[in-house]
Amino acid sequence: MLDYAEVVDHLIAHTRVPPACHTGTLVRLIGMTLEARGIMAPLGAVCEVESTTGGHKVQAEVVGFNDQTLFLMPFTEAVGIGPGATVRVLTNSSEASLGPELLGRVIDAFGEPLDGGAKPDCKDRLALLGLPLNPMERGSINQVLDVGVKAINGLLTMGRGQRIGLVAGSGVGKSSLLGMITRNTEADVVVIGLIGERGREVQAFINEVLGPEGRAKSVVIASPANVSPVMRLKATHLTHVIAEYFRDQGKNVLMLMDSLTRVAHAQREIGLAIGEPPTAKGYPPSVFALLPNLIERTGVGRHGYGAITAIYTVLAEGDDAQDPIVDIARASLDGQVMLSRKLADAAHYPAIDLNGSISRVMQGLVSPADLKMANRIRRLWSLYQQNQDLISVGAYEAGSNQEIDLAIAMRARIEAFLQQDLHDGVGHEETWQGIRELVGA
């Protein structure tokens, strides 16, 4: 009797189907990866794997190849599938059904409803990976975006069409700040991708953050942590193509992605499963190619026609601000908002730390006088942080440095200004009025 390895070798040796054939044979399962021979399909194609008894079927995506062997990753558990299973090509590319019917709906990576309603009857179809924009055709970021958060409106002013990251360790308040921004930002359409997060957060976000009014103009794409990495990645691309679809209709879109790090984790799982070499923290090279490509899909549209303001949450694992995903996000985005565990532990919410936070478009959005006031507050905050240990133990002598004296004197007022209740929204004008009062202008 042949053992399992001999069966696999026998199948590989005798699977010789002509290249044009769209039916092949499953020969091996290693970890999360299925290997098929005798079938030709491009990367991104969707295949169906049917057990030899015909009683069970699993869909999978082509994620790699080696010579005449295709590497497939199933969308669900490959239960009931064994050597010799038939593999058929269903589609050679991934497309998304798009239309205004998506508004108000909660869908999965395939566009199937998760909210109990009927499947959205969308008429338009676009490739899931979208079309690249010529950088010379992009409009400029020249409109202030009011997000209703004082610390951002005044000291990290955002523009319509900007891409920004909310960076923090776990449990520091990224999702709560994302909720504040969602409730208080004016946008024609809100597209929310909940990727790789806890399943309970989906319903909580919809009910507690969006509410009935916010949900009516929103599309939520949910792919929690317990689904296949290819499903999580597909949901990520679907989030972006939906945002692109509404942007190209001239709408101002707010796209929220929670989180970019979980997207990187999904790509890492796929890359390692098909044999990519691990690099920094085990991430394969494909991760560092994927993230900038995703981010570049957002922003201002052609000649300023429509815009996607993208806000990505980024998990700094172990509160490491030099984490490779944090680093590449910082390099690719138009700014970042750093959240501090120390501030969160002190009940300072939102826990925005001005050290390390920056908006790279602020200088072109506010007047020189306003920029000077904002920079003044940022400098006083930074000076206090740099000398906090000396101040705390009484080693700093008053009068040694006038700016540090001022930073100490204004610390409580600056902290009070930066704090805000999660359910309160403070507009742009009100924010700047508070800054003028703070600096005595």
Side-chain angles (χ1 to χ4, degrees):
M1 180 178 290
L2 298 177
D3 62 19
Y4 182 80
E6 290 174 323
V7 171
V8 169
D9 292 340
H10 177 81
L11 287 168
I12 293 175
H14 292 83
T15 303
R16 294 290 184 267
V17 183
C21 186
H22 282 252
T23 302
T25 306
L26 182 68
V27 296
R28 187 176 298 176
L29 167 62
I30 301 178
M32 298 183 295
T33 309
L34 306 174
E35 296 184 9
R37 293 290 296 266
I39 185 172
M40 299 294 285
L43 291 175
V46 177
C47 300
E48 182 181 74
V49 183
E50 183 178 356
S51 67
T52 52
T53 61
H56 194 73
K57 296 179 181 179
V58 171
Q59 289 190 7
E61 183 174 312
V62 178
V63 294
F65 60 87
N66 182 12
D67 194 14
Q68 297 183 35
T69 302
L70 286 185
F71 300 138
L72 313 174
M73 188 162 287
F75 297 131
T76 56
E77 292 290 336
V79 178
I81 301 298
T86 302
V87 182
R88 298 184 182 86
V89 178
L90 297 181
T91 62
N92 281 326
S93 62
S94 295
E95 292 185 330
S97 297
L98 304 170
E101 296 81 6
L102 291 171
L103 295 174
R105 304 303 304 273
V106 183
I107 58 176
D108 66 8
F110 291 111
E112 297 291 335
L114 295 175
D115 52 13
K119 183 174 181 177
D121 184 20
C122 301
K123 303 297 188 294
D124 299 322
R125 293 187 68 82
L126 286 176
L128 203 61
L129 297 182
L131 295 173
L133 274 178
N134 184 335
M136 296 302 294
E137 294 180 353
R138 282 189 182 271
S140 58
I141 301 174
N142 51 26
Q143 296 182 54
V144 170
L145 183 72
D146 187 346
V147 299
V149 180
K150 290 186 291 183
I152 297 177
N153 276 348
L155 306 177
L156 303 165
T157 307
M158 287 181 59
R160 196 176 296 279
Q162 184 175 358
R163 292 82 57 91
I164 200 162
L166 304 183
V167 183
S170 58
V172 182
K174 297 185 302 299
S175 297
S176 298
L177 180 56
L178 199 66
M180 290 180 69
I181 294 171
T182 305
R183 283 190 296 270
N184 297 311
T185 303
E186 289 188 6
D188 299 324
V189 175
V190 180
V191 181
I192 304 163
L194 301 176
I195 311 298
E197 298 298 319
R198 294 178 289 272
R200 68 168 181 82
E201 292 183 342
V202 177
Q203 193 170 22
F205 194 94
I206 292 167
N207 295 335
E208 299 171 15
V209 175
L210 286 180
E213 186 177 345
R215 183 174 173 178
K217 63 174 184 178
S218 301
V219 185
V220 179
I221 303 91
S223 189
N226 62 316
V227 304
S228 164
V230 285
M231 289 278 281
R232 282 176 263 151
L233 208 55
K234 192 177 286 288
T236 302
H237 289 300
L238 180 59
T239 302
H240 284 76
V241 79
I242 291 173
E244 290 170 321
Y245 174 79
F246 286 110
R247 176 192 63 190
D248 293 342
Q249 294 181 347
K251 297 185 183 296
N252 291 314
V253 181
L254 176 64
M255 193 197 83
L256 312 172
M257 176 67 69
D258 189 9
S259 72
L260 193 66
T261 306
R262 304 302 185 195
V263 174
H265 289 177
Q267 183 61 40
R268 177 171 62 183
E269 291 178 49
I270 295 171
L272 295 179
I274 62 175
E276 274 195 86
T279 57
K281 278 202 172 180
Y283 289 104
S286 59
V287 171
F288 303 106
L290 170 68
L291 299 187
N293 285 337
L294 283 176
I295 292 167
E296 282 302 311
R297 294 178 65 174
T298 61
V300 182
R302 285 183 174 86
H303 309 294
Y305 187 73
I308 302 172
T309 304
I311 301 176
Y312 298 90
T313 64
V314 185
L315 176 64
E317 297 187 11
D319 292 333
D320 181 10
Q322 305 306 315
D323 179 89
I325 302 305
V326 174
D327 198 46
I328 194 169
R330 191 162 40 210
S332 304
L333 294 166
D334 300 321
Q336 68 273 346
V337 177
M338 305 294 293
L339 302 184
S340 164
R341 187 173 301 278
K342 185 182 292 186
L343 291 175
D345 290 343
H348 178 120
Y349 294 111
I352 296 174
D353 189 351
L354 298 181
N355 283 347
S357 298
I358 189 172
S359 172
R360 294 192 175 94
V361 302
M362 181 176 177
Q363 190 168 353
L365 296 174
V366 302
S367 69
D370 286 347
L371 184 63
K372 186 177 180 181
M373 285 190 294
N375 286 341
R376 181 64 170 162
I377 293 173
R378 289 173 60 90
R379 176 164 175 76
L380 293 175
W381 175 274
S382 181
L383 276 172
Y384 187 93
Q385 297 283 83
Q386 293 168 11
N387 295 275
Q388 187 170 15
D389 291 341
L390 292 176
I391 296 167
S392 299
V393 300
Y396 173 75
E397 186 176 341
S400 301
N401 183 298
Q402 288 186 349
E403 276 199 309
I404 296 177
D405 290 344
L406 183 59
I408 295 171
M410 292 190 63
R411 179 66 177 188
R413 294 175 58 198
I414 294 174
E415 282 188 331
F417 172 79
L418 294 176
Q419 293 181 61
Q420 185 174 333
D421 187 86
L422 293 176
H423 299 284
D424 290 342
V426 180
H428 189 74
E429 290 302 323
E430 187 180 349
T431 297
W432 282 103
Q433 180 60 37
I435 289 177
R436 293 184 187 100
E437 292 174 358
L438 185 61
V439 300

